Amino acid sequence: MNAKMLRCLIATSLLCTTGLIYGSISFFTRLLNVNTPLLQQTASARYRHSLGQIKKKMAVVTPQILSQSKTNRVQKQEFLNSNVRISDMSINQGKFVSVKDFGAVGNNIADDTKSIQKAIDAVSKSGGGVVFFPSGTYKVTINPATSQAIAIRAKVTLKGSDRRDSIIKLADKQGNYNSILGGEKYESDLSDFSMYDLTIDGNATNNIVVSSLDFSSGKSRYAVRIFVGSIIRIERCRFIDHSNANTISVNGEEQVSDVLIENNDFELIGGGISDYDHSTIYGHGKRIKISRNNFYSRNGAGTKGARTAIETHGDEYIVNQNIIYGFTNGMNITGYAKSSNNQIVTDNVIKEAYTGITLWSYFDSGNITNPALSNCTIANNKISLNINSWRPLWGDAPSIGILLDANSDAPLTNLNIVNNQILFTNFSERGRPTDRLATGIRLWRNAAPTVVSENINILSNRIENSLAAGIYISMPIKGGNVSQNTILNPGQSNSFFHDDYKSGIIASGVFKNFQVNENSLIDWQKTNTIKGGIILLGNCIANCNAKGNSLQVESGVKLEVLRSSLEAVNQ
């Protein structure tokens, strides 16, 4: 796909438009016997029963063609520009004070908590302004009565001289707590709060997480907690040595909006003796941009407690140009809110992960009818997966580049997975039967197999060395296009399961207006691991095409380019 076509896809999505990421692991054992050919799926009683329900849904659901999609602009279009709301979110121009004016020392010995709080309160009472932190390490302690160290305020900016030099550090042995920086109450409105050029040192080395129970009763150990507010800005900061449920939590559904988290470093995340659920940045709100941040787990691939770097819930997100290294899962992009519309995820680099990007689409917050995840574009991302280093922690869970959580119960609408690069690395150990699901891109519904999704586009992706198929789809789709993808050397797992799962592309389900065209399947190895070209199974209601696909096998083994049991497929 050329650049012009890609820009059109992203523009259309813009205009029309924590995670227990392995909740579906328990369902893997319910799949077919690993040595059963895929063709037998469509002969099952469950499939025949589902087909009638799906055909009825296909008759009433109208696909939205990208070129004809809605043209109404999203609210506050200026939020989508690269210089997000600079005019609204600039440093407050009110009172300017230094924390040292209020007695802070910054020598990593004295307790500066009360002095910092006095400075913030003085600026807040004057109507807003800047609290400046000269170079130094400002030790803070948790107040047991509030379960946090510092209460931040609306219209107050915290500003350091440089993120490497101005450091707020949590003292040793503070026990379990809610937050280092947070609103005085959960419902405190923190509109117009911002922070720049500071380090927040969670000192997790000396505040050890023993187990996930340490996060119970609201003791999530946030570095920054914001549950209410708009026009929030966190820029050029450094968050180091954190073991927590979330490092930054901007979590208020409709009560949080217009947030920019940009150009921050997250270092030494997770690690220690226990694994637990974690999202470094957790967002639940509207118009949130997470851009140009760097995320590094404590020990790289295999780090406990470095579960997910970025998790999104809600409308109008931009997640772009982030670098994520050594997290189990790079991102959760979720439809787990009243609405999750217009989520744009582009140009991110995810390295040394076990899964790259997980999509969720669940009914939630009273929504039981609308698509939970709609107008979502996943484009131009580079994902590399490290298999061996994560296997001791995740065992039989399959490693996947981009996937739909298998328990998702709500439809997907207008999903574009375009021009991503997915590479599987460091696989030499014994394979697992569940490797048959370890694919580059996987859209599979296990818990809700009859839910129909619309306008699903998987275009121009490059997938290399997947343990099983390059692309695996198993769900009903009305309006879909799987075209111009390049699949290199799939089927790398040495586990024993049916060769069908080692094909280049597998699509199984009930389809209408479904295209599988001009895909390139290549195995350049002396001993080929690819065992088939494209397998299409299920039922085509109308207008299904599979044209112009190619298969090259360097070893000389002859394989079918296309094997289809779909009716009415044009070849």
Side-chain angles (χ1 to χ4, degrees):
M1 171 169 290
N2 62 36
K4 182 176 180 181
M5 292 174 65
L6 177 59
R7 285 195 298 270
C8 289
L9 275 174
I10 295 174
T12 302
S13 295
L14 285 169
L15 293 173
C16 70
T17 91
T18 72
L20 297 174
I21 66 173
Y22 291 108
S24 60
I25 292 174
S26 61
F27 289 91
F28 294 154
T29 56
R30 303 183 191 178
L31 296 178
L32 298 172
N33 183 283
V34 296
N35 200 31
T36 302
L38 283 163
L39 185 61
Q40 293 184 15
Q41 290 186 14
T42 57
S44 68
R46 181 187 185 191
Y47 175 82
R48 291 195 300 272
H49 175 73
S50 301
L51 182 58
Q53 302 176 49
I54 296 169
K55 284 183 175 180
K56 290 179 182 179
K57 295 177 182 178
M58 291 283 193
V60 298
V61 178
T62 302
Q64 183 179 43
I65 307 302
L66 279 175
S67 60
Q68 300 173 355
S69 56
K70 294 182 290 183
T71 57
N72 57 297
R73 291 184 178 273
V74 297
Q75 188 177 4
K76 297 191 178 181
Q77 182 71 24
E78 70 272 17
F79 176 79
L80 302 173
N81 296 334
S82 59
N83 55 340
V84 178
R85 298 179 60 83
I86 293 294
S87 60
D88 288 340
M89 303 174 73
S90 57
I91 294 178
N92 293 291
Q93 297 300 311
K95 189 178 182 69
F96 185 99
V97 304
S98 168
V99 291
K100 291 197 171 183
D101 296 338
F102 292 80
V105 180
N107 65 356
N108 197 25
I109 298 173
D111 184 350
D112 290 324
T113 310
K114 292 182 179 179
S115 298
I116 294 170
Q117 192 64 63
K118 288 178 181 178
I120 291 172
D121 292 346
V123 170
S124 176
K125 289 176 183 178
S126 72
V130 177
V131 175
F132 180 64
F133 291 75
S135 295
T137 298
Y138 300 86
K139 187 171 76 173
V140 296
T141 54
I142 299 298
N143 180 347
T146 62
S147 193
Q148 66 184 45
I150 302 294
I152 54 179
R153 311 289 188 192
K155 298 183 179 180
V156 172
T157 292
L158 307 184
K159 175 76 169 67
S161 62
D162 181 271
R163 61 179 159 195
R164 297 278 169 179
D165 297 332
S166 299
I167 302 167
I168 299 173
K169 182 177 180 178
L170 186 66
D172 296 351
K173 299 180 181 179
Q174 293 300 291
N176 298 322
Y177 58 91
N178 179 266
S179 56
I180 299 174
L181 303 175
E184 186 169 8
K185 300 178 180 178
Y186 282 0
E187 64 271 21
S188 296
D189 188 341
L190 297 176
S191 294
D192 293 293
F193 170 80
S194 56
M195 55 186 292
Y196 305 87
D197 306 311
L198 285 167
T199 285
I200 308 299
D201 186 341
N203 193 16
T205 302
N206 297 299
N207 290 280
I208 296 172
V209 173
V210 177
S211 75
S212 59
L213 296 176
D214 287 350
F215 302 140
S216 60
S217 302
K219 310 293 187 180
S220 297
R221 300 194 183 195
Y222 305 117
V224 180
R225 170 184 51 78
I226 297 173
F227 287 173
V228 180
S230 62
I231 312 179
I232 309 296
R233 192 163 189 162
I234 301 173
E235 273 197 281
R236 303 189 305 272
C237 290
R238 178 172 173 246
F239 297 84
I240 187 170
D241 198 9
H242 287 274
S243 295
N244 44 27
N246 312 123
T247 304
I248 295 177
S249 180
V250 285
N251 178 14
E253 204 162 344
E254 293 97 340
Q255 297 185 88
V256 169
S257 65
D258 300 289
V259 177
L260 175 62
I261 303 173
E262 187 170 50
N263 287 321
N264 301 286
D265 290 335
F266 299 85
E267 303 172 7
L268 299 178
I269 302 299
I273 62 175
S274 177
D275 188 46
Y276 44 84
D277 192 28
H278 164 90
S279 296
T280 307
I281 296 177
Y282 183 100
H284 192 163
K286 192 168 186 176
R287 294 186 300 278
I288 296 178
K289 183 174 182 180
I290 302 169
S291 179
R292 301 177 185 175
N293 302 286
N294 299 310
F295 301 82
Y296 298 94
S297 68
R298 187 178 302 272
N299 304 314
T303 298
K304 294 179 179 180
R307 187 75 60 86
T308 301
I310 299 171
E311 181 164 336
T312 70
H313 302 250
D315 293 341
E316 297 172 37
Y317 272 81
I318 294 176
V319 182
N320 72 334
Q321 299 183 57
N322 299 283
I323 296 174
I324 299 168
Y325 184 90
F327 284 71
T328 302
N329 179 51
M331 301 180 190
N332 286 328
I333 306 300
T334 83
Y336 212 131
K338 261 182 192 177
S339 172
S340 288
N341 186 33
N342 297 338
Q343 300 205 23
I344 310 301
V345 182
T346 62
D347 301 290
N348 300 283
V349 176
I350 300 171
K351 297 181 178 181
E352 298 291 298
Y354 198 61
T355 59
I357 298 174
T358 302
L359 307 175
W360 295 19
S361 191
Y362 282 85
F363 292 126
D364 188 60
S365 301
N367 171 31
I368 58 172
T369 56
N370 297 324
L373 185 61
S374 56
N375 300 308
C376 177
T377 293
I378 313 292
N380 292 334
N381 301 287
K382 295 181 179 179
I383 299 169
S384 63
L385 307 177
N386 181 329
I387 311 304
N388 286 353
S389 295
W390 287 106
R391 279 271 160 101
L393 190 59
W394 286 105
D396 290 342
S399 180
I400 306 164
I402 299 172
L403 72 147
L404 173 66
D405 182 82
N407 291 330
S408 294
D409 59 5
L412 295 165
T413 302
N414 299 331
L415 171 65
N416 303 307
I417 301 176
V418 181
N419 202 35
N420 300 283
Q421 297 181 30
I422 300 170
L423 174 64
F424 289 69
T425 70
N426 192 24
F427 176 72
S428 60
E429 297 181 354
R430 177 185 59 85
R432 317 290 174 94
T434 47
D435 285 348
R436 68 193 183 279
L437 296 175
T439 62
I441 297 172
R442 193 191 79 189
L443 302 182
W444 166 54
R445 290 187 184 274
N446 184 65
T450 65
V451 170
V452 178
S453 295
E454 288 189 78
N455 200 23
I456 307 300
N457 299 288
I458 302 176
L459 306 172
S460 300
N461 300 283
R462 179 185 174 95
I463 299 165
E464 187 170 351
N465 296 337
S466 54
L467 303 192
I471 297 172
Y472 179 70
I473 297 170
S474 183
M475 66 180 192
I477 293 176
K478 186 176 184 182
N481 194 350
V482 182
S483 296
Q484 298 181 358
N485 299 285
T486 300
I487 312 296
L488 300 170
N489 304 329
Q492 293 291 321
S493 176
N494 54 25
S495 182
F496 179 73
F497 48 83
H498 198 278
D499 281 351
D500 283 359
Y501 290 96
K502 296 186 178 183
S503 299
I505 297 174
I506 300 168
S508 173
V510 181
F511 303 113
K512 185 175 182 180
N513 301 326
F514 188 70
Q515 316 297 316
V516 183
N517 298 329
E518 299 180 10
N519 296 284
S520 298
L521 314 176
I522 303 168
D523 190 312
W524 54 38
Q525 305 165 104
K526 289 183 179 180
T527 302
N528 60 288
T529 55
I530 192 171
K531 302 300 181 181
I534 296 171
I535 298 179
L536 303 180
L537 304 173
N539 188 278
C540 175
I541 294 176
N543 190 28
C544 297
N545 294 305
K547 298 180 178 180
N549 300 289
S550 64
L551 173 60
Q552 302 174 43
V553 182
E554 191 72 21
S555 69
V557 172
K558 302 298 182 183
L559 300 171
E560 290 181 291
V561 177
L562 175 66
R563 177 156 56 95
S564 175
S565 68
L566 294 182
E567 301 172 3
V569 173
N570 298 314
Q571 300 182 29

